[in-house]
PDB file of all heavy atoms in Angstrom:
ATOM      1  N   SER A   1       0.818  -1.283   0.030  1.00 97.00           N
ATOM      2  CA  SER A   1       0.074  -0.048   0.013  1.00 97.00           C
ATOM      3  C   SER A   1       0.877   1.191  -0.044  1.00 97.00           C
ATOM      4  O   SER A   1       1.068   1.784   1.089  1.00 97.00           O
ATOM      5  CB  SER A   1      -0.925  -0.006   1.289  1.00 97.00           C
ATOM      6  OG  SER A   1      -1.717   1.129   1.192  1.00 97.00           O
ATOM      7  N   TYR A   2       1.307   1.648  -1.250  1.00 98.00           N
ATOM      8  CA  TYR A   2       2.197   2.770  -1.307  1.00 98.00           C
ATOM      9  C   TYR A   2       1.403   4.028  -1.411  1.00 98.00           C
ATOM     10  O   TYR A   2       0.506   4.267  -2.196  1.00 98.00           O
ATOM     11  CB  TYR A   2       3.100   2.643  -2.529  1.00 98.00           C
ATOM     12  CG  TYR A   2       4.234   3.631  -2.599  1.00 98.00           C
ATOM     13  CD1 TYR A   2       5.386   3.419  -1.887  1.00 98.00           C
ATOM     14  CD2 TYR A   2       4.030   4.915  -3.336  1.00 98.00           C
ATOM     15  CE1 TYR A   2       6.449   4.345  -1.845  1.00 98.00           C
ATOM     16  CE2 TYR A   2       4.980   5.682  -3.265  1.00 98.00           C
ATOM     17  CZ  TYR A   2       6.335   5.571  -2.541  1.00 98.00           C
ATOM     18  OH  TYR A   2       7.143   6.523  -2.482  1.00 98.00           O
ATOM     19  N   LYS A   3       1.690   4.982  -0.498  1.00 97.00           N
ATOM     20  CA  LYS A   3       0.946   6.209  -0.396  1.00 97.00           C
ATOM     21  C   LYS A   3       1.548   7.321  -1.173  1.00 97.00           C
ATOM     22  O   LYS A   3       2.749   7.668  -1.123  1.00 97.00           O
ATOM     23  CB  LYS A   3       0.882   6.657   1.023  1.00 97.00           C
ATOM     24  CG  LYS A   3       0.369   5.631   2.074  1.00 97.00           C
ATOM     25  CD  LYS A   3      -1.202   5.367   1.774  1.00 97.00           C
ATOM     26  CE  LYS A   3      -1.753   4.617   3.002  1.00 97.00           C
ATOM     27  NZ  LYS A   3      -1.165   3.378   3.395  1.00 97.00           N
ATOM     28  N   ILE A   4       0.721   7.963  -1.970  1.00 97.00           N
ATOM     29  CA  ILE A   4       1.051   9.226  -2.839  1.00 97.00           C
ATOM     30  C   ILE A   4       0.046  10.358  -2.325  1.00 97.00           C
ATOM     31  O   ILE A   4      -1.200  10.228  -2.381  1.00 97.00           O
ATOM     32  CB  ILE A   4       0.824   8.969  -4.172  1.00 97.00           C
ATOM     33  CG1 ILE A   4       1.790   7.819  -4.725  1.00 97.00           C
ATOM     34  CG2 ILE A   4       1.219  10.175  -5.084  1.00 97.00           C
ATOM     35  CD1 ILE A   4       1.737   7.429  -6.132  1.00 97.00           C
ATOM     36  N   PRO A   5       0.644  11.490  -1.869  1.00 95.00           N
ATOM     37  CA  PRO A   5      -0.197  12.437  -1.185  1.00 95.00           C
ATOM     38  C   PRO A   5      -1.103  13.214  -2.242  1.00 95.00           C
ATOM     39  O   PRO A   5      -0.578  13.654  -3.233  1.00 95.00           O
ATOM     40  CB  PRO A   5       0.810  13.378  -0.472  1.00 95.00           C
ATOM     41  CG  PRO A   5       2.047  13.174  -1.417  1.00 95.00           C
ATOM     42  CD  PRO A   5       2.050  11.748  -1.793  1.00 95.00           C
ATOM     43  N   TYR A   6      -2.287  13.245  -1.940  1.00 96.00           N
ATOM     44  CA  TYR A   6      -3.278  14.100  -2.694  1.00 96.00           C
ATOM     45  C   TYR A   6      -4.196  14.898  -1.678  1.00 96.00           C
ATOM     46  O   TYR A   6      -4.413  14.450  -0.617  1.00 96.00           O
ATOM     47  CB  TYR A   6      -4.060  13.294  -3.686  1.00 96.00           C
ATOM     48  CG  TYR A   6      -3.363  13.174  -4.949  1.00 96.00           C
ATOM     49  CD1 TYR A   6      -2.587  12.112  -5.245  1.00 96.00           C
ATOM     50  CD2 TYR A   6      -3.509  14.071  -6.058  1.00 96.00           C
ATOM     51  CE1 TYR A   6      -1.848  11.790  -6.460  1.00 96.00           C
ATOM     52  CE2 TYR A   6      -2.860  13.949  -7.159  1.00 96.00           C
ATOM     53  CZ  TYR A   6      -2.101  12.851  -7.477  1.00 96.00           C
ATOM     54  OH  TYR A   6      -1.387  12.630  -8.693  1.00 96.00           O
ATOM     55  N   ASP A   7      -4.762  16.022  -2.164  1.00 92.00           N
ATOM     56  CA  ASP A   7      -5.723  16.740  -1.405  1.00 92.00           C
ATOM     57  C   ASP A   7      -6.871  17.210  -2.202  1.00 92.00           C
ATOM     58  O   ASP A   7      -7.337  18.294  -2.161  1.00 92.00           O
ATOM     59  CB  ASP A   7      -5.089  17.909  -0.644  1.00 92.00           C
ATOM     60  CG  ASP A   7      -5.885  18.599   0.352  1.00 92.00           C
ATOM     61  OD1 ASP A   7      -6.788  17.845   0.809  1.00 92.00           O
ATOM     62  OD2 ASP A   7      -5.668  19.777   0.671  1.00 92.00           O
ATOM     63  N   GLU A   8      -7.417  16.349  -3.116  1.00 93.00           N
ATOM     64  CA  GLU A   8      -8.473  16.515  -3.957  1.00 93.00           C
ATOM     65  C   GLU A   8      -9.417  15.339  -4.039  1.00 93.00           C
ATOM     66  O   GLU A   8      -8.983  14.255  -3.657  1.00 93.00           O
ATOM     67  CB  GLU A   8      -7.971  16.710  -5.351  1.00 93.00           C
ATOM     68  CG  GLU A   8      -6.967  17.911  -5.595  1.00 93.00           C
ATOM     69  CD  GLU A   8      -6.436  17.971  -6.952  1.00 93.00           C
ATOM     70  OE1 GLU A   8      -7.127  18.386  -7.877  1.00 93.00           O
ATOM     71  OE2 GLU A   8      -5.251  17.668  -7.090  1.00 93.00           O
ATOM     72  N   GLU A   9     -10.610  15.522  -4.480  1.00 95.00           N
ATOM     73  CA  GLU A   9     -11.546  14.525  -4.746  1.00 95.00           C
ATOM     74  C   GLU A   9     -11.359  13.958  -6.165  1.00 95.00           C
ATOM     75  O   GLU A   9     -11.532  14.707  -7.160  1.00 95.00           O
ATOM     76  CB  GLU A   9     -12.994  14.930  -4.518  1.00 95.00           C
ATOM     77  CG  GLU A   9     -13.337  15.219  -3.098  1.00 95.00           C
ATOM     78  CD  GLU A   9     -14.630  15.933  -2.910  1.00 95.00           C
ATOM     79  OE1 GLU A   9     -15.252  16.336  -4.125  1.00 95.00           O
ATOM     80  OE2 GLU A   9     -15.100  16.159  -1.899  1.00 95.00           O
ATOM     81  N   LEU A  10     -10.603  12.913  -6.268  1.00 96.00           N
ATOM     82  CA  LEU A  10     -10.123  12.363  -7.539  1.00 96.00           C
ATOM     83  C   LEU A  10     -10.453  10.855  -7.885  1.00 96.00           C
ATOM     84  O   LEU A  10     -10.676  10.165  -6.894  1.00 96.00           O
ATOM     85  CB  LEU A  10      -8.607  12.624  -7.683  1.00 96.00           C
ATOM     86  CG  LEU A  10      -8.122  14.117  -7.551  1.00 96.00           C
ATOM     87  CD1 LEU A  10      -6.673  14.031  -7.485  1.00 96.00           C
ATOM     88  CD2 LEU A  10      -8.568  14.832  -8.720  1.00 96.00           C
ATOM     89  N   GLU A  11     -10.457  10.604  -9.116  1.00 97.00           N
ATOM     90  CA  GLU A  11     -10.608   9.241  -9.682  1.00 97.00           C
ATOM     91  C   GLU A  11      -9.416   8.953 -10.480  1.00 97.00           C
ATOM     92  O   GLU A  11      -9.094   9.723 -11.274  1.00 97.00           O
ATOM     93  CB  GLU A  11     -12.008   9.044 -10.382  1.00 97.00           C
ATOM     94  CG  GLU A  11     -12.176   7.646 -10.820  1.00 97.00           C
ATOM     95  CD  GLU A  11     -13.417   7.385 -11.674  1.00 97.00           C
ATOM     96  OE1 GLU A  11     -14.046   8.473 -11.905  1.00 97.00           O
ATOM     97  OE2 GLU A  11     -13.811   6.285 -12.045  1.00 97.00           O
ATOM     98  N   PHE A  12      -8.778   7.784 -10.192  1.00 97.00           N
ATOM     99  CA  PHE A  12      -7.603   7.289 -10.825  1.00 97.00           C
ATOM    100  C   PHE A  12      -7.987   6.100 -11.656  1.00 97.00           C
ATOM    101  O   PHE A  12      -8.292   5.101 -11.119  1.00 97.00           O
ATOM    102  CB  PHE A  12      -6.488   7.078  -9.872  1.00 97.00           C
ATOM    103  CG  PHE A  12      -5.959   8.396  -9.188  1.00 97.00           C
ATOM    104  CD1 PHE A  12      -6.587   8.726  -8.059  1.00 97.00           C
ATOM    105  CD2 PHE A  12      -4.904   8.857  -9.667  1.00 97.00           C
ATOM    106  CE1 PHE A  12      -6.191   9.783  -7.332  1.00 97.00           C
ATOM    107  CE2 PHE A  12      -4.454  10.049  -8.902  1.00 97.00           C
ATOM    108  CZ  PHE A  12      -5.137  10.456  -7.839  1.00 97.00           C
ATOM    109  N   VAL A  13      -7.933   6.244 -13.046  1.00 97.00           N
ATOM    110  CA  VAL A  13      -8.250   5.104 -13.904  1.00 97.00           C
ATOM    111  C   VAL A  13      -6.974   4.578 -14.670  1.00 97.00           C
ATOM    112  O   VAL A  13      -6.288   5.302 -15.269  1.00 97.00           O
ATOM    113  CB  VAL A  13      -9.249   5.535 -14.788  1.00 97.00           C
ATOM    114  CG1 VAL A  13      -9.597   4.397 -15.821  1.00 97.00           C
ATOM    115  CG2 VAL A  13     -10.511   6.240 -14.258  1.00 97.00           C
ATOM    116  N   GLU A  14      -6.733   3.312 -14.414  1.00 98.00           N
ATOM    117  CA  GLU A  14      -5.601   2.661 -14.955  1.00 98.00           C
ATOM    118  C   GLU A  14      -5.543   2.761 -16.569  1.00 98.00           C
ATOM    119  O   GLU A  14      -6.581   2.410 -17.157  1.00 98.00           O
ATOM    120  CB  GLU A  14      -5.398   1.290 -14.565  1.00 98.00           C
ATOM    121  CG  GLU A  14      -4.185   0.596 -15.104  1.00 98.00           C
ATOM    122  CD  GLU A  14      -4.044  -0.837 -14.615  1.00 98.00           C
ATOM    123  OE1 GLU A  14      -4.069  -1.092 -13.438  1.00 98.00           O
ATOM    124  OE2 GLU A  14      -4.013  -1.762 -15.568  1.00 98.00           O
ATOM    125  N   VAL A  15      -4.583   3.274 -17.064  1.00 98.00           N
ATOM    126  CA  VAL A  15      -4.428   3.337 -18.611  1.00 98.00           C
ATOM    127  C   VAL A  15      -3.472   2.321 -19.075  1.00 98.00           C
ATOM    128  O   VAL A  15      -3.610   1.531 -20.047  1.00 98.00           O
ATOM    129  CB  VAL A  15      -3.970   4.691 -18.984  1.00 98.00           C
ATOM    130  CG1 VAL A  15      -3.816   4.670 -20.579  1.00 98.00           C
ATOM    131  CG2 VAL A  15      -4.974   5.770 -18.579  1.00 98.00           C
ATOM    132  N   ILE A  16      -2.264   2.154 -18.395  1.00 97.00           N
ATOM    133  CA  ILE A  16      -1.210   1.263 -18.704  1.00 97.00           C
ATOM    134  C   ILE A  16      -0.690   0.703 -17.375  1.00 97.00           C
ATOM    135  O   ILE A  16      -0.217   1.478 -16.630  1.00 97.00           O
ATOM    136  CB  ILE A  16      -0.106   1.899 -19.644  1.00 97.00           C
ATOM    137  CG1 ILE A  16      -0.696   1.972 -21.112  1.00 97.00           C
ATOM    138  CG2 ILE A  16       1.192   0.993 -19.660  1.00 97.00           C
ATOM    139  CD1 ILE A  16       0.417   2.453 -22.026  1.00 97.00           C
ATOM    140  N   ASP A  17      -0.394  -0.595 -17.464  1.00 98.00           N
ATOM    141  CA  ASP A  17       0.321  -1.250 -16.365  1.00 98.00           C
ATOM    142  C   ASP A  17       1.294  -2.197 -17.053  1.00 98.00           C
ATOM    143  O   ASP A  17       0.880  -3.113 -17.854  1.00 98.00           O
ATOM    144  CB  ASP A  17      -0.690  -2.214 -15.440  1.00 98.00           C
ATOM    145  CG  ASP A  17       0.095  -2.711 -14.324  1.00 98.00           C
ATOM    146  OD1 ASP A  17       1.328  -2.813 -14.305  1.00 98.00           O
ATOM    147  OD2 ASP A  17      -0.613  -3.214 -13.386  1.00 98.00           O
ATOM    148  N   SER A  18       2.618  -1.942 -16.817  1.00 98.00           N
ATOM    149  CA  SER A  18       3.729  -2.772 -17.481  1.00 98.00           C
ATOM    150  C   SER A  18       3.564  -4.164 -17.067  1.00 98.00           C
ATOM    151  O   SER A  18       4.211  -5.106 -17.890  1.00 98.00           O
ATOM    152  CB  SER A  18       5.035  -2.170 -17.139  1.00 98.00           C
ATOM    153  OG  SER A  18       5.250  -2.378 -15.693  1.00 98.00           O
ATOM    154  N   LEU A  19       2.930  -4.631 -16.128  1.00 97.00           N
ATOM    155  CA  LEU A  19       2.802  -6.010 -15.572  1.00 97.00           C
ATOM    156  C   LEU A  19       1.550  -6.667 -15.941  1.00 97.00           C
ATOM    157  O   LEU A  19       1.186  -7.568 -15.316  1.00 97.00           O
ATOM    158  CB  LEU A  19       3.135  -6.073 -14.039  1.00 97.00           C
ATOM    159  CG  LEU A  19       4.490  -5.622 -13.588  1.00 97.00           C
ATOM    160  CD1 LEU A  19       4.643  -5.791 -12.109  1.00 97.00           C
ATOM    161  CD2 LEU A  19       5.669  -6.166 -14.414  1.00 97.00           C
ATOM    162  N   SER A  20       0.812  -5.968 -16.794  1.00 96.00           N
ATOM    163  CA  SER A  20      -0.523  -6.492 -17.250  1.00 96.00           C
ATOM    164  C   SER A  20      -0.391  -7.886 -17.986  1.00 96.00           C
ATOM    165  O   SER A  20       0.635  -8.077 -18.687  1.00 96.00           O
ATOM    166  CB  SER A  20      -1.226  -5.496 -18.149  1.00 96.00           C
ATOM    167  OG  SER A  20      -2.378  -6.207 -18.681  1.00 96.00           O
ATOM    168  N   GLU A  21      -1.312  -8.690 -17.908  1.00 95.00           N
ATOM    169  CA  GLU A  21      -1.294 -10.022 -18.710  1.00 95.00           C
ATOM    170  C   GLU A  21      -1.112  -9.759 -20.059  1.00 95.00           C
ATOM    171  O   GLU A  21      -0.578 -10.754 -20.823  1.00 95.00           O
ATOM    172  CB  GLU A  21      -2.509 -10.816 -18.251  1.00 95.00           C
ATOM    173  CG  GLU A  21      -3.751 -10.276 -18.757  1.00 95.00           C
ATOM    174  CD  GLU A  21      -4.990 -11.048 -18.563  1.00 95.00           C
ATOM    175  OE1 GLU A  21      -4.764 -12.275 -18.101  1.00 95.00           O
ATOM    176  OE2 GLU A  21      -6.160 -10.684 -18.517  1.00 95.00           O
ATOM    177  N   ILE A  22      -1.573  -8.690 -20.613  1.00 95.00           N
ATOM    178  CA  ILE A  22      -1.541  -8.543 -22.125  1.00 95.00           C
ATOM    179  C   ILE A  22      -0.141  -8.227 -22.530  1.00 95.00           C
ATOM    180  O   ILE A  22       0.212  -8.303 -23.695  1.00 95.00           O
ATOM    181  CB  ILE A  22      -2.512  -7.368 -22.557  1.00 95.00           C
ATOM    182  CG1 ILE A  22      -2.063  -5.986 -22.039  1.00 95.00           C
ATOM    183  CG2 ILE A  22      -3.969  -7.532 -22.235  1.00 95.00           C
ATOM    184  CD1 ILE A  22      -2.795  -4.846 -22.657  1.00 95.00           C
ATOM    185  N   TYR A  23       0.736  -7.924 -21.646  1.00 96.00           N
ATOM    186  CA  TYR A  23       2.193  -7.818 -21.773  1.00 96.00           C
ATOM    187  C   TYR A  23       3.011  -8.865 -21.349  1.00 96.00           C
ATOM    188  O   TYR A  23       4.184  -8.760 -21.009  1.00 96.00           O
ATOM    189  CB  TYR A  23       2.626  -6.463 -21.345  1.00 96.00           C
ATOM    190  CG  TYR A  23       1.873  -5.309 -21.766  1.00 96.00           C
ATOM    191  CD1 TYR A  23       1.286  -4.376 -20.787  1.00 96.00           C
ATOM    192  CD2 TYR A  23       1.550  -5.125 -23.144  1.00 96.00           C
ATOM    193  CE1 TYR A  23       0.586  -3.288 -21.206  1.00 96.00           C
ATOM    194  CE2 TYR A  23       0.734  -3.998 -23.567  1.00 96.00           C
ATOM    195  CZ  TYR A  23       0.237  -3.145 -22.647  1.00 96.00           C
ATOM    196  OH  TYR A  23      -0.459  -2.052 -22.999  1.00 96.00           O
ATOM    197  N   GLY A  24       2.310 -10.059 -21.046  1.00 91.00           N
ATOM    198  CA  GLY A  24       3.122 -11.245 -20.696  1.00 91.00           C
ATOM    199  C   GLY A  24       3.268 -11.415 -19.240  1.00 91.00           C
ATOM    200  O   GLY A  24       4.130 -12.269 -18.910  1.00 91.00           O
ATOM    201  N   ASN A  25       2.689 -10.556 -18.354  1.00 89.00           N
ATOM    202  CA  ASN A  25       2.813 -10.776 -16.966  1.00 89.00           C
ATOM    203  C   ASN A  25       1.488 -11.198 -16.401  1.00 89.00           C
ATOM    204  O   ASN A  25       0.568 -11.785 -17.059  1.00 89.00           O
ATOM    205  CB  ASN A  25       3.312  -9.500 -16.366  1.00 89.00           C
ATOM    206  CG  ASN A  25       4.696  -9.117 -16.923  1.00 89.00           C
ATOM    207  OD1 ASN A  25       4.968  -8.262 -17.743  1.00 89.00           O
ATOM    208  ND2 ASN A  25       5.739  -9.782 -16.255  1.00 89.00           N
ATOM    209  N   SER A  26       1.347 -10.989 -15.062  1.00 85.00           N
ATOM    210  CA  SER A  26       0.228 -11.701 -14.193  1.00 85.00           C
ATOM    211  C   SER A  26      -0.892 -10.687 -13.824  1.00 85.00           C
ATOM    212  O   SER A  26      -1.866 -11.241 -13.187  1.00 85.00           O
ATOM    213  CB  SER A  26       0.702 -12.510 -13.137  1.00 85.00           C
ATOM    214  OG  SER A  26       1.580 -11.790 -12.424  1.00 85.00           O
ATOM    215  N   ARG A  27      -0.770  -9.498 -13.930  1.00 87.00           N
ATOM    216  CA  ARG A  27      -1.760  -8.520 -13.502  1.00 87.00           C
ATOM    217  C   ARG A  27      -2.942  -8.541 -14.444  1.00 87.00           C
ATOM    218  O   ARG A  27      -2.707  -8.216 -15.635  1.00 87.00           O
ATOM    219  CB  ARG A  27      -1.221  -7.131 -13.353  1.00 87.00           C
ATOM    220  CG  ARG A  27      -0.342  -7.070 -12.002  1.00 87.00           C
ATOM    221  CD  ARG A  27      -0.481  -5.640 -11.520  1.00 87.00           C
ATOM    222  NE  ARG A  27      -1.640  -5.301 -10.929  1.00 87.00           N
ATOM    223  CZ  ARG A  27      -1.888  -4.977  -9.639  1.00 87.00           C
ATOM    224  NH1 ARG A  27      -0.998  -4.783  -8.792  1.00 87.00           N
ATOM    225  NH2 ARG A  27      -3.135  -4.746  -9.225  1.00 87.00           N
ATOM    226  N   TRP A  28      -4.173  -8.743 -13.922  1.00 86.00           N
ATOM    227  CA  TRP A  28      -5.320  -8.747 -14.815  1.00 86.00           C
ATOM    228  C   TRP A  28      -6.377  -7.720 -14.554  1.00 86.00           C
ATOM    229  O   TRP A  28      -7.247  -7.318 -15.369  1.00 86.00           O
ATOM    230  CB  TRP A  28      -5.912 -10.169 -14.961  1.00 86.00           C
ATOM    231  CG  TRP A  28      -6.410 -10.518 -13.651  1.00 86.00           C
ATOM    232  CD1 TRP A  28      -5.722 -11.334 -12.667  1.00 86.00           C
ATOM    233  CD2 TRP A  28      -7.690 -10.402 -12.949  1.00 86.00           C
ATOM    234  NE1 TRP A  28      -6.396 -11.578 -11.599  1.00 86.00           N
ATOM    235  CE2 TRP A  28      -7.595 -10.998 -11.669  1.00 86.00           C
ATOM    236  CE3 TRP A  28      -8.841  -9.752 -13.334  1.00 86.00           C
ATOM    237  CZ2 TRP A  28      -8.756 -11.053 -10.821  1.00 86.00           C
ATOM    238  CZ3 TRP A  28     -10.040  -9.772 -12.524  1.00 86.00           C
ATOM    239  CH2 TRP A  28      -9.839 -10.465 -11.210  1.00 86.00           C
ATOM    240  N   ASP A  29      -6.400  -7.378 -13.275  1.00 89.00           N
ATOM    241  CA  ASP A  29      -7.396  -6.408 -12.777  1.00 89.00           C
ATOM    242  C   ASP A  29      -6.906  -4.977 -13.082  1.00 89.00           C
ATOM    243  O   ASP A  29      -5.793  -4.584 -12.690  1.00 89.00           O
ATOM    244  CB  ASP A  29      -7.658  -6.551 -11.293  1.00 89.00           C
ATOM    245  CG  ASP A  29      -6.508  -6.498 -10.362  1.00 89.00           C
ATOM    246  OD1 ASP A  29      -5.387  -6.911 -10.863  1.00 89.00           O
ATOM    247  OD2 ASP A  29      -6.577  -5.802  -9.365  1.00 89.00           O
ATOM    248  N   LYS A  30      -7.834  -4.149 -13.563  1.00 93.00           N
ATOM    249  CA  LYS A  30      -7.414  -2.725 -13.887  1.00 93.00           C
ATOM    250  C   LYS A  30      -7.882  -1.898 -12.732  1.00 93.00           C
ATOM    251  O   LYS A  30      -9.054  -1.966 -12.260  1.00 93.00           O
ATOM    252  CB  LYS A  30      -8.055  -2.296 -15.263  1.00 93.00           C
ATOM    253  CG  LYS A  30      -7.345  -2.706 -16.511  1.00 93.00           C
ATOM    254  CD  LYS A  30      -7.946  -1.934 -17.707  1.00 93.00           C
ATOM    255  CE  LYS A  30      -7.175  -2.289 -18.945  1.00 93.00           C
ATOM    256  NZ  LYS A  30      -5.872  -1.537 -18.921  1.00 93.00           N
ATOM    257  N   ARG A  31      -6.980  -0.945 -12.335  1.00 95.00           N
ATOM    258  CA  ARG A  31      -7.268  -0.138 -11.114  1.00 95.00           C
ATOM    259  C   ARG A  31      -8.278   0.983 -11.551  1.00 95.00           C
ATOM    260  O   ARG A  31      -8.200   1.564 -12.562  1.00 95.00           O
ATOM    261  CB  ARG A  31      -6.025   0.507 -10.529  1.00 95.00           C
ATOM    262  CG  ARG A  31      -5.000  -0.446 -10.067  1.00 95.00           C
ATOM    263  CD  ARG A  31      -3.658   0.376  -9.835  1.00 95.00           C
ATOM    264  NE  ARG A  31      -2.653  -0.503  -9.292  1.00 95.00           N
ATOM    265  CZ  ARG A  31      -1.810  -1.299 -10.014  1.00 95.00           C
ATOM    266  NH1 ARG A  31      -1.985  -1.370 -11.244  1.00 95.00           N
ATOM    267  NH2 ARG A  31      -0.780  -2.015  -9.455  1.00 95.00           N
TER     268      ARG A  31
END
């Protein structure tokens, strides 16, 4: 659980994950 400081009401939508299964790795869930 790595913390990155913010002070806004925000939504973070994953666009690219280098460890995604589509790139030969094992992450399949998009944040």
Side-chain angles (χ1 to χ4, degrees):
S1 181
Y2 190 84
K3 302 293 194 303
I4 299 176
Y6 273 95
D7 192 23
E8 303 171 74
E9 294 171 349
L10 297 172
E11 180 180 6
F12 295 84
V13 181
E14 180 181 307
V15 178
I16 282 185
D17 184 346
S18 65
L19 299 185
S20 169
E21 62 176 347
I22 65 172
Y23 306 128
N25 295 102
S26 53
R27 286 209 69 121
W28 58 269
D29 57 322
K30 281 188 170 289
R31 299 169 178 83

